[in-house]
Amino acid sequence: MIGRCTHVVDCRETMGLGEGGGIAQRGTFAECGSDVLAVAMSPGRRHITKPVCEITFALREANVLTSTMILNAGAGTPSDAPGASGGFGLTDKEVDQMSQFKLLVIHLGGVKNHIIYKARLILRNVNCPCVIICEYPVDFEDFAKIGVKTSRVMPDEANEGVKTKGKIVDIVSGVIRGETCSQEKLDEIIRKVKLALGGA
């Protein structure tokens, strides 16, 4: 074939979930190169993983080899978040798999507390740069206040101090779970991911 790059990716560990979650079930790890890993929360009524598939396809079309992971326990909040519901966590296997990539693209939701504390738990365990994709308009300050390293603002030693190995290098907000991702947002994600990988 001329002018086309083809990837064959087995995207399911178990049966798909139907509307929006038809892409993959929890525990799925679809490997496609070792540059970028798109991490999605566990699918369910609130966590519709639809944009992750669109983001992954868009990145692959832009010649960024992107693997996908759907977390086993991606719902709820970490136990150390204020007013925590608990439930959110990582397995040792997930940490090992994430650690093999140059960049994480973590897709989170529309609740500020959930976004920042889930990101902190992941980056506390995984020493990788990361691009956050979410609905709620968070900024680097929000993460730095709870001890997450970022490329623009570092945590204040007098307050929380650094609590993560990994670092947030960019943020794309306004991506709604369960909704089709606009071309404008996909272009922004591609641009920021390529920049984070050292490209233009």
Side-chain angles (χ1 to χ4, degrees), residues 15 31 39 43 51 66 73 92 94 101 106-108 110 116 126 129 133 137 140-141 149 158 167 181-182 190 192 195:
M15 272 186 62
E31 198 162 358
V39 181
T66 307
D92 290 341
E94 286 168 342
F101 289 83
I106 303 176
H107 180 254
L108 295 157
I116 60 176
V126 183
I133 299 176
F140 291 98
E141 287 276 357
K149 288 195 286 188
K167 176 167 82 170
C181 197
S182 71
I190 291 165
K192 288 182 173 178
L195 204 60

Side-chain angles (χ1 to χ4, degrees), residues 33-66:
S34 59
D35 287 345
V36 178
L37 178 66
V39 181
M41 303 302 105
S42 311
R45 276 180 311 162
R46 285 192 61 221
H47 286 226
I48 297 184
T49 49
K50 177 181 175 180
V52 175
C53 226
E54 295 173 343
I55 290 161
T56 306
F57 281 129
L59 286 167
R60 288 178 189 153
E61 278 183 351
N63 291 321
V64 178
L65 294 179
T66 307

Side-chain angles (χ1 to χ4, degrees), residues 70-103:
I70 315 289
L71 295 179
N72 269 302
T77 50
S79 55
D80 61 351
S85 60
F88 179 81
L90 301 175
T91 65
D92 290 341
K93 181 181 175 187
E94 286 168 342
V95 170
D96 287 345
Q97 287 170 329
M98 285 188 213
S99 300
Q100 294 164 24
F101 289 83
K102 293 178 189 169
L103 179 73

Side-chain angles (χ1 to χ4, degrees), residues 139-148 150 153-156 160-161:
D139 60 26
F140 291 98
E141 287 276 357
D142 294 321
F143 292 101
K145 277 179 193 161
I146 62 160
V148 181
T150 79
V153 185
M154 285 302 272
D156 181 5
E160 285 284 333

Side-chain angles (χ1 to χ4, degrees), residues 63-200:
N63 291 321
V64 178
L65 294 179
T66 307
S67 300
T68 311
M69 171 184 281
I70 315 289
L71 295 179
N72 269 302
T77 50
S79 55
D80 61 351
S85 60
F88 179 81
L90 301 175
T91 65
D92 290 341
K93 181 181 175 187
E94 286 168 342
V95 170
D96 287 345
Q97 287 170 329
M98 285 188 213
S99 300
Q100 294 164 24
F101 289 83
K102 293 178 189 169
L103 179 73
L104 300 180
V105 174
I106 303 176
H107 180 254
L108 295 157
V111 181
K112 180 180 175 182
N113 251 17
H114 288 211
I115 295 165
I116 60 176
Y117 283 97
K118 283 180 176 183
R120 183 172 80 174
L121 180 79
I122 292 169
L123 295 176
R124 183 185 285 155
N125 290 283
V126 183
N127 188 8
C128 284
C130 150
V131 174
I132 297 289
I133 299 176
C134 56
E135 181 179 343
Y136 188 90
V138 289
D139 60 26
F140 291 98
E141 287 276 357
D142 294 321
F143 292 101
K145 277 179 193 161
I146 62 160
V148 181
K149 288 195 286 188
T150 79
S151 59
R152 308 222 183 133
V153 185
M154 285 302 272
D156 181 5
E157 288 299 334
N159 188 12
E160 285 284 333
V162 175
K163 292 194 170 174
T164 60
K165 298 178 190 171
K167 176 167 82 170
I168 294 170
V169 293
D170 229 322
I171 301 167
V172 180
S173 58
V175 176
I176 302 165
R177 272 191 312 222
E179 299 286 323
T180 295
C181 197
S182 71
Q183 190 58 52
E184 185 185 2
K185 282 293 168 191
L186 290 173
D187 290 344
E188 183 185 350
I189 291 164
I190 291 165
R191 189 176 73 251
K192 288 182 173 178
V193 165
K194 284 188 168 181
L195 204 60
L197 287 169

